[in-house]
Every structure is written in structure tokens, then in C-alpha cells.
Amino acid sequence: MIGRIDEIVFDCTQPAVLAQFWAGVLGGQPEARDDSWSFVDVPGFTRLAFQRVPEGKVVKNRLHLDVDVPNIDDAVVRAVGLGATVVGQKHSDAAGSFQVLLDPEGNEWCLVTPPGTSPGASARVVLGA
């Protein structure tokens, strides 16, 4: 082992906006260190941090977050209310279901439910690629 994950950092143009968005999706309180760096300590997960960079996002992420939810359709409505954008249709197969979304800066992420998920299941965060 070399080390452990300290935080997951998103490059962005509006750190405070993304911290507020992801706090709404995953819980925790958005915090700003300064205008160029904000973060949210997600309950039960590592810190998500947001760092201002001068360039905008231009291609698909090579890493994204999968957010496990009890009901994708309900979660989509709530995520869109926070500023997410839906991409395409919900996909379902033997491995479960997922819906691709974009955060307010265009970063891809997914709402997921594994097969056989019960309505009372608790949400968890899974890293996906």
C-alpha cells in the first residue's frame, strides 16, 4: 500500500457552486476555504473538493461517481431540482439500472440501483469509470 484517498478533487470554474450541488446530492455542509477552493465532507465517504482552474471541461470524464439510490426516477427529479441535467434514457439490465446526469459544470455522474434493491435501501457512493 502506498497511501489512502485523502479527498477527491474536481477541477471547475465555480467551486462554491459545485460544493453546494454535491452537498445537496450526498449530504454534508458546503464549505469554502477561499474563492478558489470549496469542499464538502460527505457523511460516510471521503471529502469532495472543488478547485478553480482557468480552463473549462471539454471532454468526457475518465472517472465519475455512481450514487446508489432507492428509486432512480425520484432521485432524478431531486437532482434536476439541484441543477443536474439528464443525459439520455435510464438503462436497465441484469446488473441493475442507471441514469447518467451532468452536474452544473458538465461532469458526468450516475444514479444507480443494483438488481433486487429494496425501496428502503440506504444510499451509498460508488466510484465508477
Side-chain angles (χ1 to χ4, degrees):
M1 180 171 106
I2 293 174
R4 65 173 190 80
I5 299 290
D6 178 56
E7 60 191 0
I8 297 171
V9 181
F10 288 75
D11 288 350
C12 62
T13 59
Q14 298 182 314
V17 170
L18 282 190
Q20 181 72 39
F21 173 80
W22 284 104
V25 171
L26 299 172
Q29 294 297 315
E31 304 212 19
R33 186 171 70 192
D34 56 38
D35 287 343
S36 66
W37 188 273
S38 293
F39 64 91
V40 60
D41 288 326
V42 177
F45 192 64
T46 193
R47 174 178 284 179
L48 296 182
F50 308 93
Q51 165 180 273
R52 184 183 316 276
V53 296
E55 66 278 355
K57 180 180 178 297
V58 293
V59 297
K60 184 180 182 305
N61 297 5
R62 297 292 297 205
L63 174 76
H64 68 266
L65 300 180
D66 282 354
V67 179
D68 186 1
V69 296
N71 182 295
I72 290 177
D73 296 331
D74 292 344
V76 164
V77 170
R78 293 182 63 199
V80 168
L82 293 170
T85 302
V86 176
V87 177
Q89 301 296 315
K90 180 171 62 175
H91 301 273
S92 296
D93 60 24
S97 299
F98 70 94
Q99 175 65 62
V100 178
L101 297 104
L102 303 177
D103 74 10
E105 289 215 12
N107 297 300
E108 296 86 5
W109 62 289
C110 294
L111 294 167
V112 302
T113 55
T117 300
S118 65
S122 62
R124 63 183 167 83
V125 178
V126 179
L127 289 181

